[in-house]
Amino acid sequence: MLRVQGFPNRLGVRGWVGGGRWGMERYLYTLHRLTGLGLLAYFLLHIVVTASRALGEGAWARAMDTVSGGVFKVGEYLVFAAFAFHAANGIRLVLVELGFGVGRPIEPVYPYKTSLDAQRSLAIGALAAGAALAILGAVELLVLR
Amino acid sequence: MSDATAKEILYRIRRFEPTRDRAPRWQAFTIPRVPGMTVLDGLWTIKQTQDASLAWRSSCRMGICGSCGMLINGRARLACNTQVSEIDAAVIVVAPLPNFDIIRDLVPDLSPMFDAHAALMPYLIRDDAREQERPTGEFSQSPQELERYLQFSYCIKCGCCMAACPTYATDPVYSGPMPLAQAQRYNADGRDGGFLRRRAVLGGERGPWRCHFAGECSRVCPKGVDPAKAIQLMKRDLVWDYIRLRKEQCPAAVMSKPKAGTRRPDIPEPPPRTV
Amino acid sequence: MMRDQKLWSWHVAAGIVILLLLGLHMTIMHLDATLKFTSLNPAGGEPIDWANVAARGKMLFFPITYVLLLSAALFHGLYGLRNILFELDPGAGLKSAISVILIVSGLGLLVLGTWSAVASFDLAR
């Protein structure tokens, strides 16, 4: 078969972010990815910091002292909010990516209804649940404490 | 909406002539606006009246052949299927489908997509090659069984889904929405027995695992094929297969003609076989 | 190399485990002001005060679920990271290197976390 050397035209990481006229699920995909990376970064540090409890009260108190203060408090809340979103959207993704809630294959009749429409209420529900949890966390972490 | 009362319309087209250009460039054309014109009609007008060197692929002009997939005002779609009047901008911006190398102007090199398509064995896989070559009857299939894959069989391989897919924007190893949807079209076909052979490819890096349901493929598909749905159903099949929950079924058998009974006299004989 | 069909299935399974256990962890650690857990925080004050940490460390439930959550979260997170890195098309050699680095660092953190859960259970008793 004839092969031609064309001009490379892959969008690259710009294609991940998309932006502009993309739909809701595209933004959820990006946010899921960002919150996942954030949570992982926090989690790896969290393992190391909290391992200090095995060394006794003194080591624990020193470790907790290092990670207290305004910046850490806001950071901690961001982790909680990221968790709220990642968990709620994650429930949707587990269902959808195992083929639940995407609808059965149908005869495509214009205007097309796709799996995106079929799971839209699930997406809105997940976003609402994540937001509600994030607000509850804000009251707890930033107001009551 | 673009201004429907205007007499002219401005096209901005991404040009690339490999023997002359080192990189793609933009070129603008102003052409008369005709009621009912499609983006493809505009390209023809430019070619006929202003620049005969403008290159693109098109054939049927009616959304069937899948040749004229292009990036039109930031969205992958068929030029023949897109009315100028439905574009919500003053300028029609046309570029070749992204995520494929540009051969020339609006002509993308779709061969990686077709290579991935071929690697996923998009045909019925059965043990009875002789029956397939010289059929003695029809393979049995109920309307319900037909529905399990019919939607995915409307694919015209235009490549719009591949251009919109965020994963395919960086990852050439990932098969992409079109080949995966077509693999599912055959996996879901009751006449097919090729799941295990396709699994050898689908279970690895080229499989559906890099799909994260951003949904762009289904959003841009001009035929309503819904590749995202096919890919999620495929993941379910493969996960069920891994945890031994997938029911393996034999490919549908050839329907035998009824042995008993008499033919009703008012039913005419079929025409003689031509092949 | 393990196939993505298996790895992804475990990624989803780990996600469900994390949802339950991290949900519990977040509730105990961060929603204690609205939902009072006096039995889990017997000393009052913050859930991260040493007296409360030590009190929970005495209950066998916590070290067990910590190790379970640790394993699930490390696998889920590092497989997710691997997916993102692999999608950047790093090439076959770099992909193997990434897998090795992630497996080694994951196992290292699993050992550290498990040790601290077991050791603090001993310490608290």
Side-chain angles (χ1 to χ4, degrees), chain A residues 13-144:
Chain A
V13 178
R14 194 160 50 95
W16 287 7
V17 190
R21 53 184 71 73
W22 306 103
M24 175 183 183
E25 289 73 20
R26 177 65 164 258
Y27 291 107
L28 295 182
Y29 149 85
T30 308
L31 205 52
H32 199 76
R33 191 156 269 214
L34 289 175
T35 52
L37 287 172
L39 287 169
L40 180 65
Y42 172 83
F43 175 56
L44 299 183
L45 287 175
H46 185 64
I47 296 173
V48 177
V49 170
T50 54
S52 64
R53 74 188 185 281
L55 299 174
E57 187 170 0
W60 175 258
R62 273 194 303 280
M64 287 301 110
D65 251 12
T66 329
V67 291
S68 59
V71 179
F72 283 99
K73 198 169 177 183
V74 174
E76 198 175 34
Y77 175 66
L78 285 180
V79 170
F80 187 91
F83 157 74
F85 171 78
H86 202 87
N89 193 46
I91 296 173
R92 172 184 77 99
L93 285 178
V94 168
L95 290 172
V96 164
E97 295 200 30
L98 288 176
F100 298 103
V102 293
R104 297 149 73 93
I106 45 161
E107 177 92 7
V109 178
Y110 201 80
Y112 305 128
K113 286 267 180 235
T114 66
S115 50
L116 299 164
D117 303 301
Q119 59 81 58
R120 184 66 40 77
S121 48
L122 203 58
I124 293 169
L127 210 51
L133 193 56
I135 291 168
L136 184 62
V139 172
E140 273 270 343
L141 275 89
L142 302 177
V143 181
L144 293 179

Side-chain angles (χ1 to χ4, degrees), chain B residues 124-139:
Chain B
L124 288 185
I125 298 175
R126 299 173 62 92
D127 293 336
D128 49 358
R130 193 178 163 76
E131 175 63 35
Q132 287 190 79
E133 291 301 320
R134 298 189 166 276
T136 58
E138 294 170 20
F139 295 128

Side-chain angles (χ1 to χ4, degrees), chain A residues 3 6-7 9-12 16 21-22 25-26 33 96-98 100 104-107 112 114-116, chain B residues 24 73 99-102 111 115 150-151 154 166 168-170 212 215-216 219 222 226 229 232 235-236:
Chain A
R3 294 276 165 177
F7 187 84
N9 194 27
R10 261 182 210 278
L11 289 173
W16 287 7
R21 53 184 71 73
W22 306 103
E25 289 73 20
R26 177 65 164 258
R33 191 156 269 214
V96 164
E97 295 200 30
L98 288 176
F100 298 103
R104 297 149 73 93
I106 45 161
E107 177 92 7
Y112 305 128
T114 66
S115 50
L116 299 164
Chain B
N73 288 58
N99 301 341
F100 297 109
D101 289 357
I102 307 171
S111 47
D115 290 344
L150 182 64
Q151 179 174 24
Y154 283 94
Y168 201 64
T170 53
H212 312 293
E216 289 308 328
R219 212 169 268 122
D226 204 347
K229 184 193 285 173
Q232 311 324 310
K235 280 186 207 162
R236 167 154 68 184

Side-chain angles (χ1 to χ4, degrees), chain B residues 151-168:
Chain B
Q151 179 174 24
F152 312 135
S153 71
Y154 283 94
C155 175
I156 56 173
K157 284 87 185 171
C158 61
C160 287
C161 55
M162 309 287 276
C165 173
T167 305
Y168 201 64

